[in-house]
Amino acid sequence: MAAAGNESPNKSTEDKTSARRQNEVNKKLKYTSLAILVIQNASLILSIRYVRTLPGEHFFTTSAVVMAEVLKVFTCLVIILIQKRGNVKTFVSLLYDSIVVQYSDTLKLAVPSLIYTLQNNLQYVAISNLPAATFQVTYQLKILTTALFSVLMLRKSLSKIQWISLVLLFAGVAIVQVEQEGGKQKEALTGTNQNYVKGLVSVIVSCLSSGFAGVYFEKILKGSSASVWMRNIQLGIFGTILGLLGMWWNDGAAIAEKGFLFGYTPLVWGVIFNQAFGGLLVAVVVKYADNILKGFATSFSIIVSTITSVYLFGFHVDLIFTLGAGLVIGAVYMYSLPKPNTSTSSTSTPSSSHSNGRDSELDAFLPKSVLVK
């Protein structure tokens, strides 16, 4: 009895120590997640902007989109093979069953894959024609489009704070665009053969496609047992095929003359690897990050992009841009705040929807090979 009595305090102490260590690990994972999210959000936009504004002939963006899809599919195949401990027979059987036998589920991914392929190409157009900071701020409109499509298609509910944040988000983007339209940035872009209107239209269409594709992807795959890696393979197959068709349509003659890898420098390869692996990496990292942390990371990456753009691209920051960007940053953070809990049973559905939204955010983000969250 005495021995048993001694075991209980010792076990309690061990449990407390274990819980304390787990909390420390979780805290480190959260901060690591924050750093990775910020680096991913900022570096991708800045690197694309940099390689697309260098003097001389540029690589074909359509070929870069295809290459990113191929690398993403290859990476997911390797991960699944490792999960099957190198058993090729089991690996091939799983692929055949998931892609061919369950062809109806595979075909459902054709629509979001088409939209994501279009979106990836539009992002290149937008970043090539807009300052990195302006793109980063304007692209946060995807939060607005995703929220609206979620309400319309999934019947999700938003809190008052989220609705207010969406209004502030729209106001902030509008202020930035008004300032850019009549300011020095437009003159600078005109002088470098960049089309501001073309970039603006591209980013707006990209936001619309991002919102619709993410919500549609969540809707058709609810209850699906497929792993995120298999989903990416299915999406990547369609993405590669559609990307090749787009490449042939837009740049077929030029690529036939100059080659698929024309203009691929180490910097360009860096951008493509960032596109292919960055999305998968961040999708895994998001598992350790809550909505507040993701919102903070997005907001902080806007600041990083703006400051870096000043030094790399001579971007001009004035009071109006600061006001608009500040509203966007505040709106992103407000929107990520958790919904207030209430005691009524009717609020349990929005809460669960919000929880499901976090899962869908992970899934919806996975197939995007260019975009920040």
Side-chain angles (χ1 to χ4, degrees), residues 30-46 136 274 282 285 293-305 308 372-373:
K30 281 192 173 185
Y31 286 122
T32 303
S33 301
L34 174 62
I36 293 175
L37 288 169
V38 171
I39 292 171
Q40 166 66 14
N41 283 349
S43 66
L44 184 55
I45 306 305
L46 292 169
Q136 187 85 319
N274 198 347
V282 175
V285 167
L293 192 66
K294 287 183 283 183
F296 183 79
T298 302
S299 302
F300 191 63
S301 67
I302 293 175
I303 298 173
V304 172
S305 296
T308 308
V372 293
K373 302 177 302 306

Side-chain angles (χ1 to χ4, degrees), residues 22 56 78 111 122 264 271 335:
Q22 187 61 44
V78 171
V111 173
L122 285 174
Y264 275 46
V271 169
Y335 188 83

Side-chain angles (χ1 to χ4, degrees), residues 98-115:
S98 300
I99 298 173
V100 180
V101 176
Q102 302 180 40
Y103 66 91
S104 58
D105 286 337
T106 303
L107 290 175
K108 288 179 182 178
L109 297 177
V111 173
S113 182
L114 172 62
I115 297 173

Side-chain angles (χ1 to χ4, degrees), residues 156-169:
K156 288 190 176 182
S157 63
L158 302 178
S159 66
K160 290 182 179 179
I161 291 180
Q162 287 178 316
W163 282 114
I164 292 172
S165 70
L166 293 176
V167 173
L168 292 177
L169 176 68

Side-chain angles (χ1 to χ4, degrees), residues 84-150:
K84 298 302 176 183
R85 300 186 178 182
N87 189 322
V88 177
K89 185 177 179 180
T90 305
F91 169 71
V92 173
S93 177
L94 176 63
L95 290 179
Y96 180 76
D97 180 69
S98 300
I99 298 173
V100 180
V101 176
Q102 302 180 40
Y103 66 91
S104 58
D105 286 337
T106 303
L107 290 175
K108 288 179 182 178
L109 297 177
V111 173
S113 182
L114 172 62
I115 297 173
Y116 285 131
T117 302
L118 171 66
Q119 177 186 336
N120 290 343
N121 283 281
L122 285 174
Q123 285 169 358
Y124 269 113
V125 176
I127 298 171
S128 299
N129 289 279
L130 293 176
T134 303
F135 172 85
Q136 187 85 319
V137 171
T138 307
Y139 191 70
Q140 300 314 310
L141 282 176
K142 73 182 186 296
I143 297 174
L144 173 62
T145 60
T146 302
L148 294 178
F149 281 121
S150 295

